[in-house]
Structure formats: C-alpha cells, structure tokens
Amino acid sequence: MVAVASRVRCAERVLEYLRYTVPADRAAAFEAAYAQAATSLAKAPECLDYELSRCVDDPTRYVLRISWTSAEAHLEGFRRGPHFPPFFAAIGEYRADLDEMRHYEPTAVAGEGGGRPPTLYEWAGGHPALVRLLELFYGHVLRDPVLEPVFRGMDSRHPQHVATWLGEVFGGPADYTAHHGGHPHMIERHAGRGITEEQRRRWVTLLLETADEAGLPADPEFRAAFAGYVEWGSRLAVMFSAPDAEPAAFEPVPRWDWAKPPWQPPAASS
C-alpha cells in the first residue's frame, strides 16, 4: 500500500485583479462588505482562492485577487450561477470606486524567495532519509501478519520506488512522474487489491513507528504533516483498491505541504 494521489483535478488557473480607490472614511465599510461577499466566493466551485489587500503606501487603494479555474468559469459559470447575486449585492455599491477589473494568466516567470520554509522533503533529509525509512518499513511489513499478505512477492526495488514517490509528494524532484509512470502507475498498482480497514490502520501505525526508528525529524510540525499525509493517502488507497473503484487516474502526483511551518531561528543580521 502506498498513499495515492488526490481526487482534486488540476485546474487551469486565471487570476482576476480588481483595483479600488476607496476614501478613508468608507474603508471599514468596504472591507466589511467584501468580508460578506467572500462567503459567496468560498461557496463557488469556480473560485480557487481570493485575497483582498490594502496598499501600505496609500491606504485608500485596494487590490482584490481572485483565482478562477478559468476565465469562462468566472464569466459564464460564476456570473450566471447562484452565488453571484449575493456576492454582487454585498459589494455593488462600490462599483464607482473600481479602477480596474481584468483577467491575467500566470507566465513561466515564477519562483520562491529565500524566506520560504523548507519543503517537507528537505526537512526530512531528502532522498537518502526517505530510502532509509522505507527500507526499514517494508522489512517490518514482510514480517507483519496483517500486512504480509498484501506485499507477498514484493519487488526488491519497491522501497526505493515508494521513497521516490514520497519525495515528489513532499516537494522534492518530480522523479516519480519522470521515471516511474506518475499517478497512473500508482493507481494501477492499487487496483483490485481490496485493502481492508484493518490493513490500512496497521500500515499507518507501523509507518509512524518506523519514522521514529529511521530518525526522521521529530518536531511537532513535521510529524503532523507526515501523519496527515499518511492518514489521508491510506484512506484513498482503500477507496481506490475497491473492486468497483473508478479513480481519476490521470491526475498529477499530489503535493503535500506544511499545516504549520516549522519554527526556525531568525537569520543573523549582518
């Protein structure tokens, strides 16, 4: 059993920016109106996320960023759907304050700055640490009466392959996608196995115990993220291994991240 990929489809992302100039005496009411309107965005399946920002240099200026699954989803789906009327009712009076409303597509120019937290892959110790974890783990699995029947006849390279999968999931190189067939291959490996809830629970418990043995970071933030993925993915594995399962095989390998980034000492000032 391995933690398999997400049921959420990868969406085409289009960014809408709305720029406002709102007099200072109306700013509090404007923010309250958008807080109310945001409840409609939160319910709309066409909306991925949203954020209202106020300019530090000129507090009368605001920018609302909304990520839509596509421009058509916004204009034809949301605008014609049930969530637009309450959204517009909340903020309609601020139309006169609107300076710009346009859609933008992300370009290839993107990246992360030095202030980002390390990936789970980096924090865990990279590929060698994950290989050590999975080799120890599958050694235990083959001696476990609950799990051994599932993995009987396992390929000797299986621990390394799962380490590569987990590395990609945790923000490392996309080597499972490049060299091992990506999500479709992982789905294929689980199809028809009929994994039971007892086997799932034992798999989770044994992997978490082996994380201690393998010396993975024991800080609460990493272990919460690690345990969260193992719990989430193992439940999907049970679902996807059922005889009548019809998983969306051509989704990408999921990417897992921190629920709460780890504490790190601030960088020394020069």
Side-chain angles (χ1 to χ4, degrees):
M1 186 193 310
V2 239
V4 292
S6 169
R7 292 172 291 170
V8 180
R9 296 188 182 278
C10 183
E12 173 197 356
R13 189 164 66 105
V14 166
L15 305 177
E16 181 188 19
Y17 286 95
L18 299 91
R19 305 180 194 278
Y20 290 88
T21 302
V22 180
D25 61 348
R26 301 174 65 216
F30 174 74
E31 293 182 25
Y34 256 110
Q36 180 180 345
T39 62
S40 298
L41 291 176
K43 296 175 183 176
E46 302 86 359
C47 176
L48 296 172
D49 57 51
Y50 56 88
E51 180 180 56
L52 179 67
S53 301
R54 182 174 59 246
C55 180
V56 173
D57 307 299
D58 181 356
T60 66
R61 296 184 181 273
Y62 288 84
V63 176
L64 175 68
R65 176 193 52 76
I66 306 177
S67 297
W68 302 101
T69 56
S70 68
E72 292 75 19
H74 171 214
L75 298 173
E76 301 296 327
F78 178 72
R79 286 271 184 101
R80 297 177 183 272
H83 302 297
F84 179 70
F87 171 83
F88 188 75
I91 53 87
E93 67 178 280
Y94 296 97
R95 282 181 297 173
D97 302 303
L98 187 61
D99 301 319
E100 179 191 18
M101 181 173 61
R102 296 181 185 275
H103 293 102
Y104 295 82
E105 291 181 342
T107 72
V109 182
E112 295 177 325
R116 71 161 177 83
T119 63
L120 293 168
Y121 174 80
E122 293 165 339
W123 192 263
H127 187 67
L130 296 178
V131 169
R132 182 171 64 252
L133 166 70
L134 273 306
E135 287 181 341
L136 285 170
F137 172 68
Y138 282 106
H140 296 320
V141 161
L142 293 178
R143 296 188 295 272
D144 188 275
V146 175
L147 294 176
E148 188 275 336
V150 180
F151 293 94
R152 189 175 298 158
M154 177 184 71
D155 189 308
S156 62
R157 297 169 297 177
H158 186 66
Q160 289 78 17
H161 292 170
V162 177
T164 302
W165 166 272
L166 198 60
E168 182 169 343
V169 169
F170 281 176
D175 288 342
Y176 196 90
T177 295
H179 304 296
H180 299 286
H183 182 220
H185 178 73
M186 187 61 72
I187 289 294
E188 178 186 336
R189 297 294 297 169
H190 288 79
R193 288 186 176 270
I195 298 166
T196 68
E197 175 59 21
E198 180 188 14
Q199 290 167 335
R200 185 200 73 80
R201 287 198 305 270
R202 180 59 187 149
W203 191 87
V204 168
T205 300
L206 188 57
L207 184 54
L208 296 180
E209 290 174 352
T210 309
D212 292 332
E213 181 184 357
L216 258 62
D219 56 284
E221 295 84 3
F222 176 78
R223 288 304 180 94
F226 183 79
Y229 174 70
V230 169
E231 180 71 24
W232 174 82
S234 66
R235 289 179 181 274
L236 288 183
V238 171
M239 295 168 55
F240 291 170
S241 71
D244 58 348
E246 296 182 359
F250 293 98
E251 294 177 2
V253 171
R255 290 284 180 153
W256 205 254
D257 209 344
W258 301 95
K260 180 178 176 60
W263 180 86
Q264 297 182 87
S269 59
S270 55

